[in-house]
Amino acid sequence: MKLVYLLPFSYFLDTRLREGSIFFHLVFEWLAAVVLVVVVGAAEPLQALAMAGLAYLAFISLYEIGYLVNDLVAAPREAGGRRRGPQGATLGWGLAWTGSRLVVFMLVTTWLDLLTVPAWWSFYLALCLTFALHNILKDKELKAATFLWLAWLRFMAPVMFVVEDSQRLGIGLAAAVSYVAFRLLGYLDSKDLLRMPGRQRAAFRLFFFLMPLIGLLALWPYTGAEGFLVLTGYFAVAATAGTLMGPALARVSHLGR
């Protein structure tokens, strides 16, 4: 297992996806990014998809370093911290896992010809500073603010440098009022900072992801609103499909037990 952790994405897969909802990440992160870069990408669809895949690889390489620090350094020092990952790992293994990810990040940055692009470095500086704060803070209520920005940066990473320049702010706004806000509720709930018993209802999820469509009434006259339209429309369709298919999927799951 220690050797596997040298590969980016392996730590996320083993410590988060196996215990969480891979379906949510698939539909509301990865497929959403695919739709965005294909519809409003600055390059041809196949090239845009390749660039998005590499951009995500760069992102997850650095993001997993934050996970490692959180699990192996921060969590053991917190009251009730979730001690995920190899708690008995040596410093040498920790440095090896971190070093391999830094190498991959630099290789991707070079491959995408972004070494001299200030926006790339400022984006990842923001990510590193936010995750560092998230790991340093012990106040659960303050950590809600850093989690919010981690969620936003996480969603934007694969599309930020692939979509048309004019679409970034619209996409960022759509992500903030839908994906990020929804994930923040889940984070607050997991930390016992939220009292919303009905949050996990299909009807709540559907209503939450339909509401951002209201923003189209205010934004449609302006240049750059296409990204907002595409993302909010995609989320609305995904949430509607999930609500309609939910009972059928539940029955299939029950029959398979």
Side-chain angles (χ1 to χ4, degrees):
M1 183 59 71
K2 291 181 179 180
L3 285 174
V4 171
Y5 283 168
L6 292 172
L7 303 175
F9 194 79
S10 62
Y11 193 78
F12 174 47
L13 173 64
D14 190 57
T15 62
R16 266 70 180 180
L17 289 183
R18 293 192 193 281
E19 63 182 46
S21 174
I22 190 171
F23 182 77
F24 181 84
H25 291 284
L26 174 64
V27 174
F28 289 92
E29 285 182 23
W30 305 329
L31 288 181
V34 168
V35 170
L36 286 171
V37 300
V38 168
V39 177
V40 292
E44 293 298 317
L46 288 179
Q47 182 183 355
L49 286 172
M51 292 172 64
L54 287 171
Y56 183 81
L57 179 60
F59 155 76
I60 200 63
S61 296
L62 283 192
Y63 204 77
E64 283 188 318
I65 295 175
Y67 277 150
L68 285 162
V69 174
N70 180 268
D71 295 349
L72 305 184
V73 179
R77 299 175 180 175
E78 297 175 357
R82 285 181 284 183
R83 302 189 180 191
R84 291 175 287 201
Q87 291 296 313
T90 64
L91 177 61
W93 275 113
L95 292 175
W97 296 328
T98 300
S100 67
R101 283 161 174 75
L102 290 174
V103 168
V104 170
F105 177 80
M106 289 304 301
L107 287 174
V108 172
T109 300
T110 303
W111 185 267
L112 292 176
D113 197 24
L114 294 169
L115 273 174
T116 58
V117 177
W120 174 262
W121 294 106
S122 62
F123 181 91
Y124 281 102
L125 176 60
L127 176 65
C128 291
L129 288 175
T130 305
F131 220 143
L133 278 172
H134 189 73
N135 286 334
I136 291 170
L137 290 171
K138 294 183 179 180
D139 186 316
K140 292 193 297 183
E141 295 179 357
L142 293 181
K143 287 175 73 121
T146 54
F147 179 86
L148 182 148
W149 279 101
L150 284 175
W152 188 82
L153 291 163
R154 177 195 197 99
F155 184 89
M156 295 299 294
V159 302
M160 187 79 170
F161 301 93
V162 183
V163 298
E164 293 280 359
D165 292 348
S166 62
Q167 303 303 319
R168 290 194 186 102
L169 292 181
I171 292 170
L173 175 61
V177 299
S178 49
Y179 168 87
V180 174
F182 191 78
R183 289 211 63 197
L184 180 61
L185 293 180
Y187 177 81
L188 293 174
D189 198 10
S190 72
K191 300 299 181 182
D192 295 323
L193 296 172
L194 181 72
R195 295 292 180 268
M196 190 181 287
R199 180 185 63 83
Q200 297 191 25
R201 289 176 299 159
F204 175 82
R205 182 180 62 246
L206 176 61
F207 187 76
F208 198 95
F209 282 102
L210 287 178
M211 277 302 298
L213 293 175
I214 294 290
L216 294 175
L217 296 176
L219 297 177
W220 72 266
Y222 303 104
T223 302
E226 293 89 347
F228 184 92
L229 168 63
V230 171
L231 186 55
T232 54
Y234 170 80
F235 282 153
V237 170
T240 301
T243 301
L244 295 175
M245 295 172 60
L249 292 175
R251 286 194 296 270
V252 171
S253 176
H254 180 73
L255 291 173
R257 291 176 185 174

